[in-house]
Amino acid sequence: MVRLSCRFRGLRRLALAVALPALGLAACVSENPAYPAYYRYAVDVKVDGKPVTIERVIKCTGEFVTGSTVAPSATFSRTYISPPVIGAKVPGSTAAVYVPVISACFWAALDDEGRTWEGKTVDAWEAATPFTEAHRTLKPGSRLPILWVEDAERFANIEYHISERALSGENGRIEFVRAHPPEKVDEAAFEASERRARLESPDLTPFFFPEDGKAIESTKIYRDRFGPWEGRHEGPGIRPVCYAAWVISRDEWQKVPGVEQWVASLRPEEDTAYRLSFDLAETFDEILPAVHGRSGQSLVPIGYVSDRDREDVGRFAFFDTVHPVVHTPEGLYVDLKRSGLAECNYGALHPESRHVVWVKANSLRGVAPNDASIVRLDGARLWAALRWPYSYYVADLDSFVLFSSISPGGSTSGEPVEQGWKE
């Protein structure tokens, strides 16, 4: 058992620090003495042929928690990386690119003899092996998802490149070159990196918030972006929302028992998509697992799929064949010409383009035999805002269309950083 010098926190700080009414206690939280630790993290890409390096020194912090309601007698650890997403401006443009940070905190906290703070020695192979060899998430040759923003101040036109196809540079704007092995550094290197970031980094605030969420509420950027929504229902989330769409043709969906008969029973009206009935949905998802967790899709790194998933799931194991869902003030559309990426909306600055707004606007409830939604096929654009994660039949395509919500990375950081909620 780890000996703890405890401090007690309320619900605001840590969800796990829940009061234990019967004992009159709360969860006990103490700092992890292995931290802080620091490492340099860098990724090389090309944007429209221009080389760009996304680089920053990452700070690791952590804590131990004892006495949670889940396991009152157990102690477990939680680690934070600051920042969990890093970015770089694209020279000669208003654009920026971003990449999620791979955690190397345990590795960075080992001493020169490969020992943890408790004096325990990790396996010799792990202490001596470069990070990229020992961890599947960043092996040599790994590709990571890259988010491209056309205007890093307005956060309009956000593309999330999530497949090997989209990151190849052959048919799109992003070419993933390499992820550098993490490099252990010290606090002075972190402070120097923060000074550079103050001037060189694009805005990171859309992609994460500090672990102590209340810390950001007094910042100007929070008041400007989220203050007008205070007290209102269904305000924008703090992070962008990214969507892609799977288009499932007759050759695929007719393999699902009962679906061909269900489609034949429809009397489809023009510009209408019909939600698949719930009694067929489970079988549909088992045979065509595009969105419900059996697909094995990996973003960190791109394309890491087990042999079993690769065999059982087929094309749904990768994002190469998804189509981006483009958000505009006039509605959402699936771009049928492009594939291998998602597109995102930052609702704090563009609330009129949010998915939830257009789902409600296009919904046709009570349409037999199930609920339906207004859609319109315009060349290679399918104007649609479909509820996630349901399957909709679109007669103009003779296909089912499924929206998939894809996280743009990040979440929480241990503390505010330059260009990331630090004022």
Side-chain angles (χ1 to χ4, degrees), residues 43-50 52 54 90 95-98 143-149 159-177 341:
V43 171
D44 292 334
V45 298
K46 289 183 179 179
V47 183
D48 295 324
K50 299 177 181 178
V52 178
I54 314 171
V90 178
V97 283
Y98 301 82
R143 294 181 177 182
L144 303 175
I146 299 294
L147 191 142
W148 173 86
V149 180
E159 298 177 354
Y160 197 26
H161 296 251
I162 54 175
S163 70
E164 292 192 0
R165 172 184 294 175
L167 293 167
S168 68
E170 295 178 3
N171 300 310
R173 70 179 78 253
I174 301 296
E175 179 184 350
F176 190 94
V177 178
L341 67 158

Side-chain angles (χ1 to χ4, degrees), residues 74-156:
T75 296
F76 58 93
S77 63
R78 186 171 180 178
T79 299
Y80 304 99
I81 52 179
S82 303
V85 173
I86 60 176
K89 298 176 182 178
V90 178
S93 73
T94 61
V97 283
Y98 301 82
V99 65
V101 174
I102 303 297
S103 178
C105 289
F106 180 79
W107 170 83
L110 295 176
D111 66 15
D112 292 339
E113 284 75 41
R115 295 175 301 189
T116 69
W117 70 272
E118 295 173 297
K120 297 178 181 178
T121 302
V122 301
D123 291 340
W125 70 268
E126 186 170 5
T129 303
F131 180 87
T132 51
E133 297 287 348
H135 296 71
R136 77 161 180 85
T137 53
L138 203 61
K139 287 186 180 299
S142 293
R143 294 181 177 182
L144 303 175
I146 299 294
L147 191 142
W148 173 86
V149 180
E150 183 178 34
D151 186 330
E153 292 186 0
R154 296 180 58 248
F155 283 94

Side-chain angles (χ1 to χ4, degrees), residues 238-254:
I238 204 161
R239 296 196 299 157
V241 177
C242 305
Y243 281 96
W246 299 94
V247 177
I248 301 176
S249 66
R250 176 178 285 269
D251 288 344
E252 292 176 307
W253 60 253
Q254 68 181 2

Side-chain angles (χ1 to χ4, degrees), residues 90-358:
V90 178
S93 73
T94 61
V97 283
Y98 301 82
V99 65
V101 174
I102 303 297
S103 178
C105 289
F106 180 79
W107 170 83
L110 295 176
D111 66 15
D112 292 339
E113 284 75 41
R115 295 175 301 189
T116 69
W117 70 272
E118 295 173 297
K120 297 178 181 178
T121 302
V122 301
D123 291 340
W125 70 268
E126 186 170 5
T129 303
F131 180 87
T132 51
E133 297 287 348
H135 296 71
R136 77 161 180 85
T137 53
L138 203 61
K139 287 186 180 299
S142 293
R143 294 181 177 182
L144 303 175
I146 299 294
L147 191 142
W148 173 86
V149 180
E150 183 178 34
D151 186 330
E153 292 186 0
R154 296 180 58 248
F155 283 94
N157 193 11
I158 304 174
E159 298 177 354
Y160 197 26
H161 296 251
I162 54 175
S163 70
E164 292 192 0
R165 172 184 294 175
L167 293 167
S168 68
E170 295 178 3
N171 300 310
R173 70 179 78 253
I174 301 296
E175 179 184 350
F176 190 94
V177 178
R178 68 177 297 211
H180 293 262
E183 176 189 347
K184 294 182 185 181
V185 294
D186 58 16
E187 183 178 9
F190 172 73
E191 292 175 349
S193 174
E194 288 295 284
R195 289 192 293 271
R196 293 194 301 272
R198 187 182 309 159
L199 301 175
E200 299 173 4
S201 172
D203 182 7
L204 302 178
T205 54
F207 305 108
F208 62 86
F209 48 92
E211 183 261 344
D212 183 1
K214 287 288 184 180
I216 68 175
E217 294 183 2
S218 61
T219 63
K220 182 179 186 302
I221 197 166
Y222 182 90
R223 294 195 307 270
D224 290 347
R225 293 182 183 176
F226 300 98
W229 295 92
E230 187 173 353
R232 295 172 60 183
H233 184 58
E234 291 189 347
I238 204 161
R239 296 196 299 157
V241 177
C242 305
Y243 281 96
W246 299 94
V247 177
I248 301 176
S249 66
R250 176 178 285 269
D251 288 344
E252 292 176 307
W253 60 253
Q254 68 181 2
K255 299 174 184 177
V256 183
V259 171
E260 191 167 13
Q261 292 83 353
W262 181 86
V263 169
S265 71
L266 294 174
R267 294 181 178 178
E269 296 183 9
E270 187 179 358
D271 296 339
T272 305
Y274 296 86
R275 180 178 55 77
L276 182 65
S277 62
F278 287 134
D279 60 331
L280 293 172
E282 183 175 354
T283 304
F284 190 96
D285 295 337
E286 288 177 357
I287 296 176
L288 303 170
V291 295
H292 284 291
R294 289 202 311 110
S295 54
Q297 299 146 348
S298 171
L299 290 181
V300 184
I302 295 291
Y304 179 86
V305 178
S306 69
D307 291 340
R308 179 179 178 180
D309 283 331
R310 189 186 300 266
E311 181 178 347
D312 292 348
V313 181
R315 75 176 179 103
F316 300 112
F318 307 93
F319 286 116
D320 292 84
T321 58
V322 295
H323 300 280
V325 176
V326 182
H327 300 70
T328 80
E330 292 75 37
L332 277 61
Y333 67 86
V334 180
D335 188 339
L336 300 173
K337 276 188 174 181
R338 297 186 298 156
S339 59
L341 67 158
E343 292 221 9
C344 316
N345 173 252
Y346 185 42
L349 295 182
H350 305 281
E352 73 286 349
S353 302
R354 288 179 296 158
H355 174 255
V356 65
V357 171
W358 287 101

